[in-house]
């Protein structure tokens, strides 16, 4: 597995990964209306800014993006892992990479998390 800085061409894959992750996990704890709101609540401009600012990381297995995590301001953002590789430590590794990058680039000692229930 390779963890690397996301590139502009990764944005569509990250959006699809997000949709798949939320579609698979959120219905077990949210109503259909709430799931729809979560799926619709993506700030694509923020995602693209994170990629441009090198604040988003993706994990690849055999050239396929299977996870992502990043940071914006002092917040952990966009942590998603493909359903077929969950529970293998990939999310932990991605979060560690994002935390390390935030600390190195900003000297921040704290990263905040705003999360949905199923995370």
């Amino acid at each position: 597995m390779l963890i690397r800085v996301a590139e502009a061409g990764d944005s569509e894959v990250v959006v699809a990964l997000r949709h798949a992750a939320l579609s698979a996990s959120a219905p077990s704890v949210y109503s259909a209306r709430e799931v729809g709101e979560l799926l619709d609540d993506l700030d694509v401009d923020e995602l693209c800014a994170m990629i441009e600012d090198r604040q988003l990381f993706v994990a690849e297995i055999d050239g396929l993006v299977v996870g992502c995590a990043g940071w914006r301001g002092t917040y952990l953002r966009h942590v998603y892992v493909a359903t077929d590789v969950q529970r293998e430590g990939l999310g932990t590794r991605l979060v560690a990479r994002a935390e390390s990058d935030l600390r190195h680039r900003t000297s921040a000692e704290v990263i905040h998390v705003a999360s949905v229930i199923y995370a």
Side-chain angles (χ1 to χ4, degrees):
M1 180 189 51
L2 167 71
I3 295 179
R4 64 170 174 80
V5 175
E7 301 169 352
D10 294 322
S11 62
E12 288 181 22
V13 175
V14 169
V15 169
L17 183 64
R18 176 187 183 277
H19 190 275
L22 289 174
S23 295
S25 301
S28 66
V29 292
Y30 291 107
S31 70
R33 179 187 56 77
E34 291 169 321
V35 171
E37 290 172 359
L38 283 171
L39 291 171
D40 291 340
D41 188 30
L42 173 63
D43 185 344
V44 176
D45 291 336
E46 178 201 47
L47 182 66
C48 291
M50 288 173 65
I51 292 171
E52 184 176 317
D53 293 342
R54 303 177 56 85
Q55 297 173 332
L56 186 70
F57 302 91
V58 296
E60 288 184 356
I61 296 176
D62 297 328
L64 180 67
V65 174
V66 295
C68 61
W71 60 275
R72 193 75 173 158
T74 59
Y75 281 85
L76 184 64
R77 301 283 295 136
H78 299 293
V79 180
Y80 311 112
V81 175
T83 56
D84 58 334
V85 293
Q86 288 179 352
R87 305 284 181 222
E88 297 180 15
L90 179 58
T92 299
R93 290 179 61 188
L94 281 161
V95 168
R97 177 71 184 269
E99 288 175 330
S100 173
D101 188 66
L102 172 71
R103 246 188 327 274
H104 175 73
R105 291 173 58 190
T106 69
S107 300
E109 293 184 21
V110 174
I111 189 166
H112 299 94
V113 178
S115 180
V116 294
I117 292 172
Y118 76 91

